[in-house]
Amino acid sequence: MLPSQPWFDLREGVLHAEGVPLPELASRYGTPLYVYSRAALQAAWQGYADALHGRRGLICYGVKANSNLAILHEFQRLGAGFDIVSGGELARVLAAGAQPETIVFSGVGKQAWEIRAALDAGILCFNVESAGELECIARVAADCGRQAPISLRVNPDVDAHTHPYISTGLKDNKFGVPIQDARALYHRARSLPALRIVGVDCHIGSQITTTGPWLDALDKLLGLIEQLAADGIALQHLDLGGGLAIRYTDETPPHPAELLDPVFAALHARGLGHLQVVLEPGRSLVGNAGVLLTEVLYLKRGETRQFAIVDAAMNDLMRPALYEAWHGVRPVRPRDDDTPETWDIVGPICESGDWLARGRPLAIAPGDWLALESAGAYAFSMASQYNSRPRAAEILVDGDQAWLVRPRETVHELYAQERIPGQPPHPEVRGP
Ligand code: LLP
Protein backbone atom coordinates (compact mmCIF):
# COMPACT_ATOMS: atom_id res chain seq x y z
CA MET A 1 0.00 0.00 0.00
CA LEU A 2 1.31 3.47 -0.79
CA PRO A 3 1.44 5.12 2.63
CA SER A 4 -0.33 8.24 1.46
CA GLN A 5 -2.54 6.61 -1.14
CA PRO A 6 -4.60 3.70 0.20
CA TRP A 7 -6.57 3.39 -3.03
CA PHE A 8 -3.39 2.54 -4.89
CA ASP A 9 -2.56 -0.83 -3.47
CA LEU A 10 -0.28 -3.81 -4.23
CA ARG A 11 -2.29 -6.93 -5.05
CA GLU A 12 -0.36 -10.09 -5.85
CA GLY A 13 2.74 -8.06 -6.50
CA VAL A 14 1.08 -5.60 -8.86
CA LEU A 15 0.08 -2.03 -8.09
CA HIS A 16 -3.63 -1.39 -8.59
CA ALA A 17 -5.84 1.66 -8.64
CA GLU A 18 -8.85 0.37 -6.69
CA GLY A 19 -9.69 -2.86 -8.57
CA VAL A 20 -7.77 -2.10 -11.75
CA PRO A 21 -4.18 -3.33 -12.29
CA LEU A 22 -2.03 -0.39 -13.38
CA PRO A 23 -0.10 -2.44 -16.00
CA GLU A 24 -3.41 -2.99 -17.77
CA LEU A 25 -3.96 0.77 -18.02
CA ALA A 26 -0.36 1.48 -19.01
CA SER A 27 -0.47 -1.06 -21.86
CA ARG A 28 -3.88 -0.02 -23.04
CA TYR A 29 -3.50 3.77 -22.92
CA GLY A 30 0.27 4.20 -22.99
CA THR A 31 2.44 6.30 -20.72
CA PRO A 32 2.82 8.87 -19.32
CA LEU A 33 -0.67 8.42 -17.90
CA TYR A 34 -2.49 10.03 -15.03
CA VAL A 35 -4.70 7.64 -13.08
CA TYR A 36 -7.22 8.93 -10.54
CA SER A 37 -9.29 6.98 -8.02
CA ARG A 38 -12.90 7.96 -7.58
CA ALA A 39 -13.05 6.34 -4.14
CA ALA A 40 -10.11 8.50 -3.07
CA LEU A 41 -11.91 11.64 -4.24
CA GLN A 42 -14.99 10.60 -2.33
CA ALA A 43 -13.03 9.81 0.83
CA ALA A 44 -11.27 13.18 0.73
CA TRP A 45 -14.62 14.89 0.23
CA GLN A 46 -16.12 12.92 3.11
CA GLY A 47 -13.39 14.29 5.39
CA TYR A 48 -14.72 17.79 4.80
CA ALA A 49 -18.39 16.72 4.90
CA ASP A 50 -17.81 15.00 8.26
CA ALA A 51 -15.97 18.03 9.57
CA LEU A 52 -18.93 20.27 8.74
CA HIS A 53 -21.51 17.78 10.07
CA GLY A 54 -24.47 19.99 9.43
CA ARG A 55 -22.91 23.32 10.38
CA ARG A 56 -23.29 26.30 8.07
CA GLY A 57 -20.51 25.74 5.60
CA LEU A 58 -19.71 25.56 1.93
CA ILE A 59 -16.74 23.68 0.52
CA CYS A 60 -15.69 25.28 -2.75
CA TYR A 61 -13.26 22.97 -4.52
CA GLY A 62 -10.17 24.88 -5.71
CA VAL A 63 -10.50 24.07 -9.38
CA LYS A 64 -6.91 24.90 -10.31
CA ALA A 65 -5.66 21.78 -8.53
CA ASN A 66 -7.26 19.52 -11.13
CA SER A 67 -9.86 20.83 -13.52
CA ASN A 68 -10.79 17.73 -15.51
CA LEU A 69 -14.55 17.76 -16.08
CA ALA A 70 -14.92 14.28 -14.61
CA ILE A 71 -13.36 15.43 -11.35
CA LEU A 72 -15.44 18.62 -11.28
CA HIS A 73 -18.57 16.61 -11.97
CA GLU A 74 -17.79 14.21 -9.16
CA PHE A 75 -17.40 17.05 -6.66
CA GLN A 76 -20.51 18.76 -7.97
CA ARG A 77 -22.40 15.53 -7.45
CA LEU A 78 -21.07 15.29 -3.90
CA GLY A 79 -22.32 18.79 -3.11
CA ALA A 80 -19.25 20.95 -3.58
CA GLY A 81 -19.16 24.54 -4.66
CA PHE A 82 -16.20 25.79 -6.68
CA ASP A 83 -13.42 28.32 -6.31
CA ILE A 84 -12.43 29.56 -9.75
CA VAL A 85 -9.73 31.98 -10.89
CA SER A 86 -10.52 32.57 -14.56
CA GLY A 87 -13.22 32.69 -17.19
CA GLY A 88 -11.85 29.37 -18.41
CA GLU A 89 -12.44 27.75 -15.05
CA LEU A 90 -15.91 29.29 -14.92
CA ALA A 91 -16.77 27.69 -18.26
CA ARG A 92 -15.40 24.35 -17.05
CA VAL A 93 -17.37 24.23 -13.82
CA LEU A 94 -20.57 25.25 -15.58
CA ALA A 95 -19.93 22.54 -18.19
CA ALA A 96 -19.53 20.07 -15.34
CA GLY A 97 -22.94 21.04 -13.94
CA ALA A 98 -22.00 23.44 -11.13
CA GLN A 99 -24.72 25.53 -9.50
CA PRO A 100 -23.65 29.15 -10.15
CA GLU A 101 -24.69 30.21 -6.65
CA THR A 102 -21.94 27.98 -5.21
CA ILE A 103 -19.09 29.57 -7.19
CA VAL A 104 -16.59 32.02 -5.72
CA PHE A 105 -14.24 33.83 -8.08
CA SER A 106 -10.71 34.51 -6.77
CA GLY A 107 -7.58 35.87 -8.44
CA VAL A 108 -5.68 39.15 -8.60
CA GLY A 109 -6.25 39.98 -12.26
CA LYS A 110 -9.87 39.47 -13.22
CA GLN A 111 -10.58 40.88 -16.66
CA ALA A 112 -13.76 42.62 -17.79
CA TRP A 113 -14.92 39.69 -19.95
CA GLU A 114 -14.42 37.29 -17.06
CA ILE A 115 -16.32 39.54 -14.68
CA ARG A 116 -19.15 39.84 -17.19
CA ALA A 117 -19.32 36.08 -17.69
CA ALA A 118 -19.45 35.51 -13.94
CA LEU A 119 -22.20 38.13 -13.52
CA ASP A 120 -24.18 36.53 -16.33
CA ALA A 121 -23.82 33.15 -14.67
CA GLY A 122 -24.94 34.52 -11.29
CA ILE A 123 -22.05 33.42 -9.07
CA LEU A 124 -22.07 33.56 -5.27
CA CYS A 125 -19.24 36.03 -4.87
CA PHE A 126 -16.25 37.84 -6.34
CA ASN A 127 -13.25 37.67 -4.03
CA VAL A 128 -11.86 41.11 -4.69
CA GLU A 129 -8.11 41.58 -4.41
CA SER A 130 -7.50 45.31 -4.90
CA ALA A 131 -9.10 48.75 -4.96
CA GLY A 132 -8.67 48.88 -8.74
CA GLU A 133 -10.45 45.60 -9.20
CA LEU A 134 -13.30 46.73 -6.95
CA GLU A 135 -13.88 49.73 -9.22
CA CYS A 136 -13.66 47.58 -12.34
CA ILE A 137 -16.23 45.08 -11.04
CA ALA A 138 -18.56 47.96 -10.11
CA ARG A 139 -18.17 49.45 -13.60
CA VAL A 140 -18.79 46.18 -15.43
CA ALA A 141 -21.78 45.35 -13.21
CA ALA A 142 -23.29 48.81 -13.72
CA ASP A 143 -22.77 48.46 -17.50
CA CYS A 144 -24.74 45.24 -17.63
CA GLY A 145 -27.37 46.43 -15.16
CA ARG A 146 -26.45 43.95 -12.44
CA GLN A 147 -25.31 44.01 -8.86
CA ALA A 148 -22.07 42.15 -8.16
CA PRO A 149 -21.81 40.20 -4.89
CA ILE A 150 -18.38 40.88 -3.40
CA SER A 151 -16.03 39.88 -0.62
CA LEU A 152 -12.66 41.49 0.00
CA ARG A 153 -9.72 39.15 0.04
CA VAL A 154 -7.80 40.41 3.00
CA ASN A 155 -4.10 39.81 3.31
CA PRO A 156 -3.73 39.08 7.03
CA ASP A 157 0.09 39.09 6.98
CA VAL A 158 0.55 35.68 8.57
CA ASP A 159 3.31 33.21 7.79
CA ALA A 160 1.93 29.91 6.51
CA HIS A 161 5.38 28.26 6.88
CA THR A 162 5.28 26.73 3.44
CA HIS A 163 7.33 27.04 0.23
CA PRO A 164 7.78 30.75 -0.64
CA TYR A 165 6.20 30.24 -4.08
CA ILE A 166 2.98 28.92 -2.53
CA SER A 167 2.80 31.30 0.42
CA THR A 168 0.22 33.99 -0.23
CA GLY A 169 -0.78 35.63 3.05
CA LEU A 170 2.30 37.74 3.77
CA LYS A 171 2.39 41.46 3.17
CA ASP A 172 5.19 40.91 0.62
CA ASN A 173 2.85 38.79 -1.55
CA LYS A 174 0.82 40.22 -4.40
CA PHE A 175 -2.43 38.84 -3.00
CA GLY A 176 -5.32 40.54 -1.27
CA VAL A 177 -5.91 43.89 0.33
CA PRO A 178 -3.74 44.84 3.35
CA ILE A 179 -5.90 44.27 6.40
CA GLN A 180 -5.43 47.85 7.58
CA ASP A 181 -6.93 49.12 4.27
CA ALA A 182 -9.89 46.75 4.23
CA ARG A 183 -12.30 48.80 6.31
CA ALA A 184 -12.00 51.87 4.08
CA LEU A 185 -12.44 49.73 0.99
CA TYR A 186 -15.61 48.15 2.41
CA HIS A 187 -16.94 51.67 2.93
CA ARG A 188 -16.10 52.48 -0.67
CA ALA A 189 -17.88 49.29 -1.80
CA ARG A 190 -20.94 50.25 0.20
CA SER A 191 -21.10 53.55 -1.67
CA LEU A 192 -21.21 51.80 -5.06
CA PRO A 193 -24.77 50.74 -5.92
CA ALA A 194 -23.58 48.09 -8.41
CA LEU A 195 -21.91 46.18 -5.58
CA ARG A 196 -23.45 44.06 -2.85
CA ILE A 197 -21.17 43.20 0.07
CA VAL A 198 -21.59 39.57 1.08
CA GLY A 199 -18.40 38.42 2.77
CA VAL A 200 -14.74 38.55 3.60
CA ASP A 201 -12.04 36.08 2.60
CA CYS A 202 -8.38 35.20 2.80
CA HIS A 203 -6.13 32.50 1.41
CA ILE A 204 -2.79 32.30 3.13
CA GLY A 205 -0.98 29.60 1.18
CA SER A 206 -0.87 25.99 0.16
CA GLN A 207 0.46 22.71 1.60
CA ILE A 208 0.06 24.09 5.14
CA THR A 209 0.66 21.41 7.73
CA THR A 210 -0.63 23.04 10.92
CA THR A 211 -3.81 24.93 11.72
CA GLY A 212 -2.03 27.77 13.58
CA PRO A 213 -1.64 30.10 10.57
CA TRP A 214 -5.38 29.92 9.77
CA LEU A 215 -6.32 30.61 13.36
CA ASP A 216 -4.00 33.63 13.42
CA ALA A 217 -5.63 34.86 10.21
CA LEU A 218 -9.08 34.13 11.60
CA ASP A 219 -8.38 36.23 14.65
CA LYS A 220 -7.46 39.20 12.48
CA LEU A 221 -10.49 38.71 10.24
CA LEU A 222 -12.88 38.49 13.18
CA GLY A 223 -11.62 41.84 14.43
CA LEU A 224 -12.37 43.32 11.02
CA ILE A 225 -15.82 41.70 10.86
CA GLU A 226 -16.71 43.19 14.26
CA GLN A 227 -15.50 46.59 13.19
CA LEU A 228 -17.57 46.38 10.01
CA ALA A 229 -20.64 45.30 11.95
CA ALA A 230 -20.23 48.36 14.17
CA ASP A 231 -20.12 50.42 10.96
CA GLY A 232 -23.39 48.84 9.86
CA ILE A 233 -21.82 46.52 7.27
CA ALA A 234 -23.11 43.02 7.93
CA LEU A 235 -21.43 40.08 6.22
CA GLN A 236 -22.99 36.75 5.35
CA HIS A 237 -19.91 34.61 4.96
CA LEU A 238 -16.32 34.15 5.99
CA ASP A 239 -14.09 32.36 3.46
CA LEU A 240 -10.79 31.04 4.82
CA GLY A 241 -9.44 29.85 1.47
CA GLY A 242 -7.70 26.56 0.83
CA GLY A 243 -4.29 25.28 1.71
CA LEU A 244 -4.68 22.15 3.80
CA ALA A 245 -1.66 19.94 3.19
CA ILE A 246 -1.54 16.35 2.04
CA ARG A 247 1.00 13.68 2.85
CA TYR A 248 3.62 13.40 0.13
CA THR A 249 6.16 11.69 2.33
CA ASP A 250 5.97 11.98 6.13
CA GLU A 251 3.78 15.04 6.63
CA THR A 252 0.93 14.70 9.12
CA PRO A 253 -1.62 17.20 7.86
CA PRO A 254 -4.55 18.14 10.05
CA HIS A 255 -7.97 16.61 9.39
CA PRO A 256 -10.43 19.24 8.12
CA ALA A 257 -12.25 18.99 11.47
CA GLU A 258 -9.11 20.16 13.27
CA LEU A 259 -9.43 23.36 11.28
CA LEU A 260 -13.20 23.75 11.23
CA ASP A 261 -13.90 22.97 14.91
CA PRO A 262 -11.88 25.91 16.29
CA VAL A 263 -13.20 28.16 13.51
CA PHE A 264 -16.84 27.48 14.44
CA ALA A 265 -15.98 27.71 18.13
CA ALA A 266 -14.40 31.15 17.63
CA LEU A 267 -17.40 32.36 15.62
CA HIS A 268 -19.80 31.26 18.33
CA ALA A 269 -17.66 32.71 21.10
CA ARG A 270 -17.76 36.09 19.38
CA GLY A 271 -21.45 36.06 18.56
CA LEU A 272 -20.86 35.50 14.85
CA GLY A 273 -22.48 32.09 14.57
CA HIS A 274 -24.73 33.32 11.76
CA LEU A 275 -21.78 33.54 9.33
CA GLN A 276 -21.48 30.84 6.72
CA VAL A 277 -17.97 29.38 6.65
CA VAL A 278 -16.49 28.82 3.20
CA LEU A 279 -13.31 26.86 2.45
CA GLU A 280 -11.55 26.50 -0.89
CA PRO A 281 -9.56 23.26 -0.66
CA GLY A 282 -7.86 22.03 -3.81
CA ARG A 283 -4.87 19.81 -3.13
CA SER A 284 -6.38 18.06 -0.11
CA LEU A 285 -9.36 16.89 -2.20
CA VAL A 286 -7.43 15.50 -5.17
CA GLY A 287 -3.69 15.30 -4.47
CA ASN A 288 -3.62 11.78 -3.14
CA ALA A 289 -6.32 10.57 -5.51
CA GLY A 290 -3.91 10.37 -8.43
CA VAL A 291 -0.65 8.87 -9.68
CA LEU A 292 1.34 9.53 -12.82
CA LEU A 293 2.41 6.35 -14.56
CA THR A 294 5.63 6.44 -16.51
CA GLU A 295 7.89 3.93 -18.25
CA VAL A 296 11.62 3.63 -17.66
CA LEU A 297 13.25 4.20 -21.05
CA TYR A 298 16.94 4.00 -20.26
CA LEU A 299 19.25 3.59 -17.30
CA LYS A 300 22.30 5.77 -17.50
CA ARG A 301 25.16 5.40 -15.07
CA GLY A 302 26.96 8.75 -14.81
CA GLU A 303 30.22 9.35 -12.98
CA THR A 304 28.58 10.88 -9.95
CA ARG A 305 24.89 10.05 -10.32
CA GLN A 306 22.73 7.39 -11.87
CA PHE A 307 19.85 8.47 -14.06
CA ALA A 308 16.67 6.59 -14.82
CA ILE A 309 15.32 8.32 -17.91
CA VAL A 310 11.55 7.95 -18.02
CA ASP A 311 8.89 8.99 -20.51
CA ALA A 312 7.23 11.51 -18.14
CA ALA A 313 8.90 14.87 -17.72
CA MET A 314 8.68 18.28 -16.12
CA ASN A 315 6.00 19.21 -18.64
CA ASP A 316 3.79 16.49 -17.08
CA LEU A 317 4.75 17.06 -13.45
CA MET A 318 6.26 20.44 -12.91
CA ARG A 319 6.30 20.49 -9.13
CA PRO A 320 9.80 19.06 -8.59
CA ALA A 321 11.36 21.51 -11.09
CA LEU A 322 9.41 24.46 -9.74
CA TYR A 323 9.33 23.87 -5.99
CA GLU A 324 11.84 21.03 -5.54
CA ALA A 325 8.75 19.09 -4.48
CA TRP A 326 9.03 15.50 -3.32
CA HIS A 327 6.86 12.85 -4.99
CA GLY A 328 7.11 9.19 -4.02
CA VAL A 329 8.17 6.75 -6.75
CA ARG A 330 6.81 3.21 -6.74
CA PRO A 331 7.53 0.44 -9.21
CA VAL A 332 4.24 -0.88 -10.56
CA ARG A 333 5.65 -4.42 -10.35
CA PRO A 334 8.23 -4.28 -7.55
CA ARG A 335 11.34 -6.46 -8.11
CA ASP A 336 11.56 -7.56 -4.53
CA ASP A 337 14.47 -9.97 -5.12
CA ASP A 338 16.75 -7.41 -6.75
CA THR A 339 19.10 -5.11 -4.88
CA PRO A 340 18.05 -1.46 -5.09
CA GLU A 341 20.40 1.15 -6.49
CA THR A 342 20.11 4.89 -6.13
CA TRP A 343 18.49 6.67 -9.06
CA ASP A 344 17.58 10.15 -10.15
CA ILE A 345 14.33 9.91 -12.09
CA VAL A 346 14.58 12.33 -14.99
CA GLY A 347 12.56 13.10 -18.11
CA PRO A 348 13.53 13.48 -21.78
CA ILE A 349 13.32 17.30 -21.80
CA CYS A 350 16.43 19.28 -22.65
CA GLU A 351 16.83 21.00 -19.29
CA SER A 352 18.79 19.99 -16.21
CA GLY A 353 15.74 21.09 -14.22
CA ASP A 354 13.81 18.25 -15.81
CA TRP A 355 13.85 15.88 -12.88
CA LEU A 356 10.98 14.15 -11.10
CA ALA A 357 12.74 12.59 -8.12
CA ARG A 358 16.31 12.39 -6.86
CA GLY A 359 18.38 9.80 -5.05
CA ARG A 360 15.72 7.10 -4.78
CA PRO A 361 16.64 3.53 -3.90
CA LEU A 362 14.93 1.41 -6.54
CA ALA A 363 15.41 -1.93 -8.30
CA ILE A 364 14.40 -1.09 -11.85
CA ALA A 365 15.11 -1.99 -15.46
CA PRO A 366 14.22 -0.41 -18.81
CA GLY A 367 10.60 -1.15 -19.68
CA ASP A 368 9.44 -1.05 -16.06
CA TRP A 369 6.52 1.15 -15.15
CA LEU A 370 6.76 3.51 -12.19
CA ALA A 371 4.00 5.35 -10.37
CA LEU A 372 4.81 8.90 -9.32
CA GLU A 373 2.70 9.33 -6.23
CA SER A 374 0.39 12.12 -5.12
CA ALA A 375 -0.02 13.42 -8.66
CA GLY A 376 -3.73 14.24 -8.46
CA ALA A 377 -3.18 17.93 -7.71
CA TYR A 378 -1.20 20.52 -9.66
CA ALA A 379 0.10 17.89 -12.04
CA PHE A 380 -2.04 17.70 -15.18
CA SER A 381 -3.44 21.16 -14.44
CA MET A 382 0.08 22.61 -14.65
CA ALA A 383 1.14 20.43 -17.59
CA SER A 384 2.45 22.01 -20.76
CA GLN A 385 3.44 20.84 -24.21
CA TYR A 386 7.06 22.00 -23.83
CA ASN A 387 9.42 20.24 -26.24
CA SER A 388 6.31 19.54 -28.34
CA ARG A 389 5.23 16.74 -26.07
CA PRO A 390 1.50 15.98 -26.31
CA ARG A 391 -0.14 16.15 -22.89
CA ALA A 392 -0.80 12.77 -21.30
CA ALA A 393 -4.14 10.96 -21.06
CA GLU A 394 -6.17 10.89 -17.86
CA ILE A 395 -8.07 7.90 -16.46
CA LEU A 396 -10.64 7.82 -13.68
CA VAL A 397 -10.94 4.46 -11.98
CA ASP A 398 -14.16 3.49 -10.24
CA GLY A 399 -13.96 0.05 -8.66
CA ASP A 400 -13.15 -2.36 -11.47
CA GLN A 401 -13.92 0.16 -14.14
CA ALA A 402 -11.56 2.58 -15.84
CA TRP A 403 -12.86 5.61 -17.71
CA LEU A 404 -10.75 7.52 -20.16
CA VAL A 405 -11.59 11.06 -19.04
CA ARG A 406 -9.15 12.80 -21.38
CA PRO A 407 -7.46 11.12 -24.30
CA ARG A 408 -3.78 11.68 -24.98
CA GLU A 409 -3.23 14.68 -27.20
CA THR A 410 -2.05 13.87 -30.69
CA VAL A 411 1.09 15.29 -32.21
CA HIS A 412 -1.02 17.02 -34.85
CA GLU A 413 -3.03 18.82 -32.16
CA LEU A 414 0.19 20.44 -31.02
CA TYR A 415 0.32 22.66 -34.09
CA ALA A 416 -3.07 22.23 -35.75
CA GLN A 417 -4.02 25.81 -34.78
CA GLU A 418 -0.79 27.32 -36.07
CA ARG A 419 -0.51 29.03 -39.45
CA ILE A 420 2.36 29.71 -41.78
CA PRO A 421 1.60 33.16 -43.24
CA GLY A 422 0.02 32.81 -46.67
CA GLN A 423 -0.48 29.06 -46.38
CA PRO A 424 -3.57 26.99 -45.45
CA PRO A 425 -3.59 24.98 -42.17
CA HIS A 426 -1.08 22.17 -42.19
CA PRO A 427 -2.63 18.78 -42.99
CA GLU A 428 -2.45 16.06 -40.37
CA VAL A 429 0.59 13.82 -40.48
CA ARG A 430 0.80 10.50 -38.72
CA GLY A 431 1.81 10.87 -35.09
CA PRO A 432 1.94 8.41 -32.22
N1 LLP B 1 -7.99 29.43 -3.05
C1 LLP B 1 -7.12 30.28 -3.62
C2 LLP B 1 -7.46 31.69 -3.73
C3 LLP B 1 -5.90 29.78 -4.11
O1 LLP B 1 -5.03 30.62 -4.67
C4 LLP B 1 -5.59 28.40 -3.99
C5 LLP B 1 -4.33 27.87 -4.50
C6 LLP B 1 -6.56 27.56 -3.40
C7 LLP B 1 -7.74 28.11 -2.94
C8 LLP B 1 -6.35 26.09 -3.25
O2 LLP B 1 -5.28 25.81 -2.40
P1 LLP B 1 -4.94 24.30 -1.98
O3 LLP B 1 -6.05 23.82 -1.08
O4 LLP B 1 -4.83 23.49 -3.22
O5 LLP B 1 -3.63 24.40 -1.27
N2 LLP B 1 1.01 24.81 -7.76
C9 LLP B 1 1.31 24.77 -6.34
C10 LLP B 1 0.13 25.18 -5.51
C11 LLP B 1 -0.38 26.55 -5.85
C12 LLP B 1 -1.61 26.94 -5.07
C13 LLP B 1 -2.19 28.19 -5.61
N3 LLP B 1 -3.40 28.61 -4.96
C14 LLP B 1 1.80 23.38 -6.01
O6 LLP B 1 1.89 22.53 -6.88
O7 LLP B 1 2.16 23.13 -4.86
Side-chain angles (χ1 to χ4, degrees):
M1 184 166 95
L2 308 189
S4 44
Q5 299 199 269
W7 286 271
F8 296 84
D9 202 357
L10 274 183
R11 295 189 191 174
E12 290 165 11
V14 176
L15 203 54
H16 283 56
E18 302 189 31
V20 178
L22 291 179
E24 213 171 279
L25 296 176
S27 358
R28 176 147 180 218
Y29 298 102
T31 52
L33 183 72
Y34 298 91
V35 181
Y36 309 125
S37 149
R38 187 174 180 204
L41 298 173
Q42 291 171 343
W45 171 261
Q46 200 53 47
Y48 281 93
D50 290 346
L52 277 179
H53 60 84
R55 295 181 289 201
R56 265 176 69 71
L58 177 65
I59 306 300
C60 292
Y61 167 58
V63 172
K64 64 172 81 65
N66 186 326
S67 52
N68 186 290
L69 289 194
I71 305 262
L72 300 178
H73 182 258
E74 182 60 24
F75 286 130
Q76 187 275 330
R77 207 185 58 80
L78 290 167
F82 296 94
D83 166 49
I84 59 165
V85 291
S86 69
E89 287 190 351
L90 174 65
R92 276 182 179 279
V93 298
L94 294 176
Q99 305 295 311
E101 63 277 10
T102 65
I103 299 172
V104 298
F105 191 170
S106 305
V108 291
K110 300 178 194 74
Q111 301 166 53
W113 73 269
E114 297 176 310
I115 296 167
R116 219 171 294 120
L119 285 168
D120 286 346
I123 65 165
L124 173 66
C125 184
F126 290 89
N127 289 346
V128 179
E129 303 227 12
S130 63
E133 193 198 343
L134 189 79
E135 301 295 330
C136 180
I137 293 174
R139 239 181 355 255
V140 175
D143 280 353
C144 45
R146 295 184 191 276
Q147 219 186 18
I150 62 119
S151 153
L152 288 190
R153 173 168 175 182
V154 169
N155 184 329
D157 193 25
V158 299
D159 189 349
H161 301 290
T162 183
H163 190 283
Y165 283 12
I166 52 176
S167 189
T168 50
L170 283 167
K171 61 172 183 267
D172 288 348
N173 302 131
K174 68 178 175 182
F175 298 99
V177 174
I179 190 145
Q180 63 277 13
D181 300 347
R183 188 175 171 204
L185 212 50
Y186 271 106
H187 283 256
R188 171 70 185 150
R190 178 162 65 173
S191 73
L192 295 167
L195 300 181
R196 181 164 47 91
I197 296 168
V198 293
V200 63
D201 66 285
C202 68
H203 169 76
I204 52 176
S206 198
Q207 187 57 14
I208 306 172
T209 50
T210 58
T211 56
W214 277 285
L215 301 180
D216 293 346
L218 174 68
D219 203 45
K220 296 190 175 184
L221 259 54
L222 291 182
L224 172 66
I225 294 170
E226 285 166 349
Q227 215 169 36
L228 291 174
D231 296 346
I233 298 175
L235 306 183
Q236 287 149 38
H237 76 244
L238 163 67
D239 176 348
L240 291 171
L244 218 59
I246 60 166
R247 170 173 289 189
Y248 286 98
T249 163
D250 56 1
E251 300 91 337
T252 48
H255 185 275
E258 291 171 60
L259 174 60
L260 282 171
D261 286 347
V263 169
F264 281 108
L267 288 180
H268 282 286
R270 294 178 64 163
L272 296 168
H274 61 282
L275 286 178
Q276 180 183 42
V277 175
V278 178
L279 292 182
E280 304 169 357
R283 187 194 316 267
S284 51
L285 285 174
V286 289
N288 273 330
V291 296
L292 174 59
L293 290 185
T294 185
E295 181 180 332
V296 178
L297 300 174
Y298 307 105
L299 295 181
K300 189 166 168 179
R301 291 180 163 82
E303 263 179 41
T304 53
R305 303 190 76 89
Q306 309 206 98
F307 298 104
I309 301 165
V310 299
D311 64 1
M314 64 188 283
N315 73 300
D316 303 298
L317 182 63
M318 210 184 164
R319 304 192 68 259
L322 198 53
Y323 319 112
E324 300 195 10
W326 197 98
H327 285 261
V329 180
R330 277 295 177 100
V332 164
R333 283 198 187 96
R335 298 166 176 273
D336 289 336
D337 299 335
D338 297 355
T339 315
E341 293 177 73
T342 301
W343 298 100
D344 287 359
I345 312 297
V346 300
I349 285 184
C350 306
E351 300 234 13
S352 295
D354 180 25
W355 60 276
L356 300 169
R358 283 178 170 157
R360 302 301 170 86
L362 292 165
I364 47 177
D368 284 4
W369 286 305
L370 303 176
L372 291 152
E373 295 177 72
S374 312
Y378 303 111
F380 186 92
S381 64
M382 293 175 78
S384 76
Q385 299 161 323
Y386 186 39
N387 279 210
S388 286
R389 291 166 48 87
R391 282 179 299 178
E394 295 174 283
I395 304 288
L396 178 64
V397 166
D398 182 13
D400 294 335
Q401 234 187 336
W403 300 90
L404 177 64
V405 294
R406 193 179 206 276
R408 185 174 307 283
E409 287 176 345
T410 64
V411 166
H412 182 247
E413 281 169 331
L414 293 173
Y415 56 84
Q417 301 302 321
E418 297 170 19
R419 300 288 182 269
I420 299 172
Q423 291 185 23
H426 200 278
E428 183 161 3
V429 289
R430 263 192 72 231

